[in-house]
Amino acid sequence: MAAIDDLPPLREVIETHGLRAKKTLGQNFLLDLNLTARIARAAGDLAGSDILEIGPGPGGLTRGLLAEGARRVLAIEKDARCMPALEEIAARYPGRLQVIEGDALEIDPLTHLTPPIRVAANLPYNVGTELLVRWLTPKEWPPFWESLTLMFQREVAERIVAAPGSKAYGRLAILAQWRASARIVLDLPPQAFVPAPKVSSAVVHLTALPAPRFPADPAVLSRVVAAGFNQRRKMLRASLKGVAPGIEDHLAAAGIPPTERAEQVGLEAWCALARSVAAAQ
Ligand code: SAM
């Protein structure tokens, strides 16, 4: 297949800069630039958007995004060892790549970006899940982003797109599907990464809806749903007892039988429950 750019192959970049993968940073690198270009295309309109990339590492996805025509990429990477490799990419694409060294959980990238903004990332799954929940639960909606294109362990990706009644259905599905549309766009086997992780991965693409599907306060919805699924085999009147006094009345107001289990309750009813709890606070 044709090279996507005239920079050195990623294997060489990793060798030159001594980027041996660190387990503590959840480093599993994608070395196939045709694959990273495919992930970049899944992110949608690149030419008309600023892209926030979290965890660029040696820059495989970064190069995919730039080669596919991203207007600008802001990349936040915690590992200082990756900076020289990323600077080489920035030099190849003048004015289009800005790199910030630091922890994405602590940096506010918004001052560096111009809307419309899309997010693309291949992150360790715990950081990815934490950021996803933050991106889905701001007080105001629509959020700063138009879309999120994120790599997860396949099992986490399934939790994001899960339907009520399924084993994977829980807080992630409800928060994601409440304010966004979410689908799995690409499956990747462990061998796509160096080093190969134990499990398969998948890319999830989320598009922000103009407004949430049902009204609810994000903090209350998040709290109610977390409590409901914390003891997912219990009846809701038991698992939600600590959430608000008179929880049976709130369940009734939302049309949820008190003996129901969390995984049987659909998005609309969870939002109704969150509204009833919020109104009584
Ligand atoms: N994007 C590259 C790729 O696809 O080959 C690297 C992916 S690797 C799974 C995850 C990257 O996220 C690593 O480069 C790691 O150093 C970085 N990372 C881990 N935690 C981070 C954090 N809290 N903030 C920013 N980057 C982080």
Side-chain angles (χ1 to χ4, degrees):
M1 241 184 257
I4 69 162
D5 59 32
D6 51 12
L7 288 160
L10 282 160
R11 243 174 235 291
E12 199 177 308
V13 172
I14 286 170
E15 185 74 41
T16 309
H17 297 286
L19 301 180
R20 218 161 47 82
K22 275 193 191 168
K23 236 189 174 150
T24 48
L25 285 168
Q27 291 181 335
N28 302 93
F29 300 133
L30 287 169
L31 301 192
D32 178 348
L33 288 164
N34 287 295
L35 183 59
T36 64
R38 243 175 96 193
I39 298 170
R41 286 198 293 277
D45 172 23
L46 297 173
S49 314
D50 275 11
I51 310 294
L52 171 61
E53 188 196 351
I54 313 285
L61 180 56
T62 322
R63 286 166 63 174
L65 290 162
L66 290 162
E68 289 296 319
R71 180 173 76 189
R72 268 191 79 242
V73 176
L74 172 68
I76 302 177
E77 172 57 59
K78 198 170 172 181
D79 186 352
R81 297 179 309 157
C82 297
M83 292 303 126
L86 295 168
E87 287 313 325
E88 283 173 16
I89 307 172
R92 164 67 181 76
Y93 292 96
R96 289 175 59 200
L97 173 61
Q98 182 185 353
V99 183
I100 299 179
E101 183 191 326
D103 185 340
L105 294 167
E106 280 159 23
I107 290 171
D108 175 9
L110 287 188
T111 49
H112 304 274
L113 293 160
T114 312
I117 299 163
R118 294 174 187 276
V119 179
N122 172 18
L123 272 174
Y125 85 99
N126 54 338
V127 182
T129 311
E130 163 79 34
L131 283 171
L132 173 63
V133 170
R134 284 193 202 179
W135 288 328
L136 290 168
T137 53
K139 194 128 189 68
E140 304 299 329
W141 200 263
F144 75 88
W145 50 272
E146 310 273 314
S147 69
L148 309 172
T149 306
L150 308 172
M151 177 94 67
F152 287 104
Q153 296 181 356
R154 171 83 207 184
E155 173 259 325
V156 178
E158 279 167 7
R159 287 203 266 134
I160 295 169
V161 302
S166 66
K167 249 179 87 180
Y169 183 64
R171 189 172 76 117
L172 275 185
I174 290 162
L175 294 180
Q177 297 168 34
W178 172 46
R179 289 171 141 181
S181 61
R183 63 199 170 90
I184 293 177
V185 290
L186 200 63
D187 281 307
L188 287 100
Q191 310 82 272
F193 301 87
V194 174
K198 288 201 178 68
V199 294
S200 293
S201 300
V203 177
V204 184
H205 183 71
L206 298 105
T207 311
L209 297 172
R213 289 186 211 275
F214 308 102
D217 177 88
V220 179
L221 179 64
S222 192
R223 189 158 56 85
V224 169
V225 169
F229 282 97
N230 196 21
Q231 298 160 296
R232 55 192 299 143
R233 278 192 297 273
K234 278 199 177 170
M235 295 176 193
L236 282 173
R237 73 166 166 232
S239 57
L240 294 179
K241 215 164 66 190
V243 164
I247 195 65
E248 295 217 11
D249 294 341
H250 295 304
L251 286 165
I256 304 171
T259 54
E260 197 73 287
R261 282 160 177 86
E263 69 184 43
Q264 300 299 335
V265 177
L267 182 57
E268 186 168 9
W270 280 113
C271 291
L273 181 61
R275 288 198 302 277
S276 177
V277 168
Q281 276 176 353

